[in-house]
């Protein structure tokens, strides 16, 4: 990417790019799209980068296919054409768009793998989500599969595959199961300290290419900082190859 003021335009590593799709590693603490803070967001940063790298006049099209919460980093995919945006959005709806995450959670789950199914309700006034009962007006079903990959010092490294894309889904479901994410102030305030960075990372996004139909997998590994540094990233990489 072009050199810019770091505070205004953080470096966004490109993982995959062709005429139709752009896959990148989203840095932590950057919004997926413009919000009320006015801080630099992924769409704005990447549109500007495309404009500069390809010397494009006028507005640049870039479609937001899926979102990552602001404090979450990792693999993220954008559409470079409206046709690609439409087809990738359909892949998300039909659940042929795969999303895998890793998280560091407090404690060690009693089962090394399993499926969590909950009804989630979002309170738009407080921007919080909680587990509720079936039949609650506005509640939506949330489904994820998890596998405990490694444990260390009372924490677990957990691989998560999302089957639905509800707001704050991973954070809420794992907290409800008794294993809040490291650093999550919103859903794990009793066990986390103010200022800690949430340990949730998008490690793999897989989808049928919107034009060629080839299966594309884009991967991004967590940074080698605490608490990620408690675990073997080589072992995580080999696990991702296995699950792929």
């Amino acid at each position: 990417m072009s050199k810019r003021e770091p505070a205004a335009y953080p470096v966004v590593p490109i993982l995959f790019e062709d005429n139709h799709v752009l896959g990148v590693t989203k840095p932590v603490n950057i919004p997926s799209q413009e919000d009320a803070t006015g801080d630099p967001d992924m769409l704005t940063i990447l549109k500007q980068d495309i404009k500069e790298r390809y010397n494009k006049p006028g507005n640049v099209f870039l479609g937001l296919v899926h979102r990552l919460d602001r404090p979450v980093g990792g693999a993220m995919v954008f559409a470079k054409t409206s046709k690609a945006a439409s087809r990738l959005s359909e892949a998300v709806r039909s659940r042929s768009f795969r999303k895998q995450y890793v998280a560091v959670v407090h404690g060690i789950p009693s089962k090394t793998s399993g499926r969590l199914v909950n009804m989630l309700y979002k309170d738009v006034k407080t921007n919080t989500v909680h587990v509720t009962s079936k039949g609650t007006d506005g509640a939506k079903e949330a489904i994820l599969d998890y596998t405990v990959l490694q444990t260390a010092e009372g924490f677990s490294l957990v691989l998560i595959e999302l089957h639905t894309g509800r707001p704050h889904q991973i954070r809420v479901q794992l907290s409800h199961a008794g294993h809040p994410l490291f650093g999550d102030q919103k859903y794990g305030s009793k066990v986390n300290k103010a200022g800690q960075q949430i340990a949730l990372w998008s490690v793999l996004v897989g989808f049928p290419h919107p034009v060629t139909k080839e299966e594309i997998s884009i991967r991004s590994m967590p940074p080698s900082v605490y608490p990620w540094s408690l675990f073997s990233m080589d072992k995580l990489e080999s696990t991702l190859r296995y699950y792929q």
Side-chain angles (χ1 to χ4, degrees), residues 159-171:
L159 177 67
I160 298 138
E161 178 134 15
L162 279 185
H163 298 291
T164 53
R166 310 305 180 199
H168 303 177
Q169 178 179 339
I170 294 172
R171 299 160 65 184

Side-chain angles (χ1 to χ4, degrees), residues 26-30 69-73 104 181-185 192-201 223 225-228:
K26 173 189 173 299
V28 298
N29 298 324
I30 297 180
D69 289 349
R70 180 170 181 150
V72 179
V104 178
L181 273 61
F182 177 95
D184 191 351
Q185 309 301 316
N192 291 311
K193 298 176 182 177
Q196 288 179 329
Q197 177 66 48
I198 190 169
L200 179 59
W201 197 265
V225 298
Y226 189 86
W228 301 111

Side-chain angles (χ1 to χ4, degrees), residues 21-22 42-47 50 60-64 78-81 85:
V21 176
L22 177 63
M42 292 297 291
L43 271 178
T44 301
I45 293 167
L46 293 173
K47 282 182 180 181
I50 291 170
V60 170
F61 178 88
L62 196 65
L64 187 69
F78 297 82
K80 293 178 68 176
T81 67

Side-chain angles (χ1 to χ4, degrees), residues 76-160:
M76 193 172 182
V77 172
F78 297 82
K80 293 178 68 176
T81 67
S82 57
K83 179 183 287 186
S86 175
R87 290 178 178 176
L88 288 172
S89 295
E90 177 55 34
V92 172
R93 284 190 293 271
S94 67
R95 299 186 183 179
S96 57
F97 190 95
R98 294 185 63 199
K99 292 177 284 185
Q100 288 186 339
Y101 296 77
V102 285
V104 178
V105 303
H106 288 267
I108 301 173
S110 57
K111 295 182 178 179
T112 55
S113 64
R115 171 167 289 193
L116 300 180
V117 181
N118 300 104
M119 298 301 296
L120 302 186
Y121 175 82
K122 181 176 182 179
D123 185 332
V124 293
K125 292 182 180 178
T126 61
N127 191 32
T128 56
V129 179
H130 64 265
V131 173
T132 187
S133 56
K134 279 190 175 182
T136 301
D137 190 34
K140 295 181 179 180
E141 186 177 55
I143 305 171
L144 66 79
D145 292 330
Y146 74 89
T147 302
V148 178
L149 302 179
Q150 303 171 48
T151 61
E153 298 184 13
F155 295 105
S156 298
L157 181 68
V158 180
L159 177 67
I160 298 138

